[in-house]
Amino acid sequence: MDHGEKSKVIILNNKDDINLTLLNEDKLFLFRDSFISSEVLYRSSEKLAGIGICNIHLPEKKVNFSDNLYRILGYEPGSFIPTLRLILKFVHPEDKKILKGITKIESEVNNNSEFHRPLRIITKNEETKYVSINSKLKETENAQTVMISVKDITMEMKEIMKLREQNKELKRINAQLSAFNMVASHDLQEPLRKIQIFSSRMESINDATPHNISDYTFKIKNTAQRMQQLVSDLIAYSETSKPDIKFEKVNLKNIVKGVLKEMAFHIDEKKASITTSELPEATVIPFQIHQLFVNILSNSLKYCLPDVPPKVTIKQEDVTDIDLNKLTGYNKSDLISISIEDNGIGFDPIEAENIFLVFKRLHGKLEFDGTGIGLAICKNIIDNHTGYIRAEGNPGSGTKITFTLPRDRN
C-alpha cells in the first residue's frame, strides 16, 4: 500500500485481542496481535523457566511467594500464607542450615551481595526435589529486602548423580580389570607352572620309588585343587556384578539360619560356637547376602587361634556417625547395621581398608589356605546394596566386620 493511498482502519476490541483490518482498493490485510500485561508475561516466563520467587521484607520478616514457587512446592498458588518458619518445613532436614543463613543475610553481607546455594526440598506429596537458590539483598531508605529465586533443577541433579554413579562404577570396573590382570599374570599361572614342574620331575625320575611318586602326585593334586578354588572364587566374584539382580524383603535371621545349616559340618569340625541375636528385615538380594555371611563366617573359622575353639557373634548394631558419613542422604532410621565378631587371630589395624581388596592376602598361603577373594566378594555385595562395610581388629584379639545398608529400596 502506497503511503499516498487512502486507507480505512477499523479497530475491534475483544478482551486482550485487537483486530486491525486495513482496507484499500486492491488488498485486504488482517493483523491479529495480543497485548499481554507485564504481570501476565512475568508469570508465564517464570513458569516456563521453572523458577519461583520469594521476597523477605526485613526486619519484619514478611514473606511473599510468586505463583510458580507455590507450584514448585506442590501447591496451588495462594493456597497458604508463607512465613519463615513455614519455609523451613519444606527444606530437607540436612539442608536447613543453608536457608537459615539466607534469612540472616542482612547482618552478614554488604549491600547487593549475592549468594548461590543448592539444596533439597520436600514437596506437599513428600517428593524430594533439588533446587538452586540465588539470593540477593536490596536496600532502600526505608527497608531491606532479601530476594530469593528458586529454580527447580531436579532433572539436572538426577542426571549429574547418574553420571557420578556411572563414573564410580567405571572406576570399580577398572580396578577389577587391574586385579584380574594381576591374577591372570601370576595367581593362575603359578599353580600351572608347579603342575608342569612336578609332572616333568615324575617323567625324569630314574628311581621311581613309590614315595617319590606319591609326594609329587600329592603336590600336583593340591596345586590343581587350589587353582580350581581360585577359578570358582573368580566366578563368584564376577557373579556379584550382574545387573539382572532382584531385591526381596526378607528376615536376615532366616538367611543366617540357612548359612549355619549349610556350614554345619565345618562348624562342628572346628568345635565352633555361633551366637545370633534378633536380626531385622531388609530389602536385599537374598543369595548375595547369603554368600556374604558364608564368606565372613568361613574367615572366622579359618583364621582362628591355635587350640582355641572359634566363637562368633552375629548381631544388629546401632548405626554410627561413621556409617552416615559414608552413606550420605540417609537418616539412621533408614539404615540397618549388622556385625560379625570372632575371637580369632585378628589383623593389623593398618590393613583395615586393604582387607577388602581383591586378591589381597594378609597371611601367607603356607599359613592359611585362601585365594584372597572372599572379602572382596563381600565388598562387591555391599556395594550392590549401596551400603558400607568396615573391619576392626588387632593381632591376637579377633576381628569384627560390620556392614550397613539401606533397610528398604526407594
Side-chain angles (χ1 to χ4, degrees):
M1 180 173 65
D2 294 333
H3 291 289
E5 294 180 340
K6 294 181 178 180
S7 62
K8 186 177 182 182
V9 179
I10 303 174
I11 301 178
L12 301 174
N13 289 309
N14 182 16
K15 293 185 178 180
D16 290 331
D17 297 330
I18 295 179
N19 295 319
L20 302 179
T21 306
L22 303 181
L23 302 175
N24 62 18
E25 295 177 357
D26 302 315
K27 298 179 181 178
L28 174 67
F29 294 90
L30 178 63
F31 292 90
R32 180 179 176 85
D33 200 356
S34 178
F35 285 81
I36 305 175
S37 69
S38 59
E39 184 179 356
V40 173
L41 181 62
Y42 167 76
R43 289 178 180 176
S44 300
S45 302
E46 183 189 46
K47 188 175 181 180
L48 184 63
I51 294 174
I53 302 298
C54 170
N55 290 330
I56 304 174
H57 188 268
L58 304 174
E60 294 88 348
K61 299 293 192 298
K62 291 182 179 179
V63 181
N64 289 314
F65 278 7
S66 68
D67 286 355
N68 206 50
L69 184 52
Y70 282 101
R71 295 189 188 97
I72 290 174
L73 295 172
Y75 291 84
E76 288 298 317
S79 56
F80 63 86
I81 298 175
T83 64
L84 286 179
R85 182 174 294 181
L86 191 59
I87 289 174
L88 290 175
K89 288 185 178 180
F90 292 112
V91 181
H92 192 283
E94 295 177 8
D95 293 350
K96 287 184 184 294
K97 58 183 179 294
I98 297 175
L99 205 59
K100 284 180 179 178
I102 290 174
T103 62
K104 297 175 183 177
I105 193 171
E106 77 277 11
S107 62
E108 298 175 359
V109 298
N110 295 323
N111 188 34
N112 293 334
S113 294
E114 293 187 358
F115 281 74
H116 300 272
R117 297 284 193 276
L119 82 164
R120 289 164 291 176
I121 60 172
I122 309 298
T123 68
K124 179 182 179 181
N125 298 324
E126 301 298 321
E127 177 190 1
T128 299
K129 284 185 177 181
Y130 291 85
V131 296
S132 65
I133 299 293
N134 183 359
S135 62
K136 189 172 185 178
L137 177 67
K138 284 289 187 182
E139 286 189 309
T140 63
E141 293 181 359
N142 299 323
Q144 291 178 317
T145 302
V146 180
M147 298 186 298
I148 305 171
S149 68
V150 181
K151 180 174 175 58
D152 187 347
I153 56 170
T154 304
M155 295 301 294
E156 294 94 321
M157 287 301 299
K158 286 183 177 179
E159 287 299 318
I160 289 172
M161 288 187 289
K162 184 179 177 181
L163 286 173
R164 285 175 180 169
E165 285 300 314
Q166 289 174 344
N167 287 336
K168 184 178 177 181
E169 181 64 13
L170 285 173
K171 288 180 180 178
R172 189 174 71 88
I173 291 172
N174 284 336
Q176 289 180 359
L177 288 174
S178 296
F180 276 114
N181 181 57
M182 182 186 74
V183 79
S185 63
H186 181 266
D187 291 71
L188 282 174
Q189 292 191 45
E190 184 260 348
L192 286 174
R193 284 193 295 267
K194 284 188 175 179
I195 290 173
Q196 291 170 343
I197 290 170
F198 294 133
S199 298
S200 298
R201 287 183 182 177
M202 289 177 65
E203 290 176 354
S204 63
I205 288 176
N206 294 324
D207 55 340
T209 63
H211 173 74
N212 288 336
I213 296 295
S214 176
D215 183 47
Y216 290 139
T217 303
F218 176 78
K219 290 180 178 178
I220 290 172
K221 181 181 177 181
N222 279 355
T223 303
Q225 285 177 342
R226 181 174 173 275
M227 187 167 73
Q228 185 181 39
Q229 183 62 51
L230 181 59
V231 171
S232 297
D233 286 349
L234 284 170
I235 292 171
Y237 184 75
S238 65
E239 287 288 321
T240 60
S241 299
K242 282 188 174 181
D244 55 342
I245 46 183
K246 294 183 179 180
F247 287 82
E248 298 176 25
K249 190 168 187 176
V250 297
N251 190 306
L252 297 183
K253 190 163 187 178
N254 291 335
I255 290 182
V256 172
K257 285 180 180 178
V259 170
L260 296 181
K261 185 176 180 180
E262 178 183 315
M263 300 180 66
F265 176 80
H266 195 28
I267 291 170
D268 291 341
E269 185 182 43
K270 289 283 189 175
K271 296 181 174 55
S273 62
I274 314 292
T275 303
T276 307
S277 66
E278 287 299 319
L279 299 177
E281 287 189 338
T283 304
V284 298
I285 307 164
F287 82 92
Q288 289 196 0
I289 297 299
H290 179 98
Q291 185 67 47
L292 174 79
F293 280 111
V294 167
N295 288 5
I296 297 175
L297 284 174
S298 295
N299 274 7
S300 293
L301 298 179
K302 181 192 301 181
Y303 300 111
C304 58
L305 292 166
D307 303 320
V308 178
K311 291 184 179 180
V312 183
T313 302
I314 303 171
K315 65 179 181 179
Q316 183 174 3
E317 299 274 359
D318 292 333
V319 177
T320 67
D321 291 336
I322 295 174
D323 300 318
L324 288 178
N325 288 336
K326 292 291 183 179
L327 303 175
T328 56
Y330 291 100
N331 298 317
K332 286 189 177 182
S333 60
D334 300 327
L335 303 169
I336 59 168
S337 193
I338 309 295
S339 69
I340 301 96
E341 187 171 8
D342 63 46
N343 64 337
I345 63 173
F347 63 92
D348 189 334
I350 201 171
E351 299 286 357
E353 295 292 334
N354 295 334
I355 200 171
F356 297 106
L357 296 179
V358 68
F359 309 121
K360 177 69 176 180
R361 299 187 190 93
L362 302 187
H363 307 281
K365 57 190 175 186
L366 296 179
E367 298 177 79
F368 298 94
D369 292 333
T371 59
I373 302 177
L375 288 181
I377 291 174
C378 294
K379 176 69 164 57
N380 241 20
I381 289 170
I382 295 301
D383 285 346
N384 289 342
H385 289 77
T386 60
Y388 172 61
I389 189 168
R390 54 191 167 91
E392 304 167 74
N394 282 291
S397 300
T399 297
K400 181 179 180 180
I401 292 180
T402 306
F403 63 87
T404 303
L405 43 84
R407 188 183 299 273
D408 294 303
R409 311 298 299 182
N410 295 326

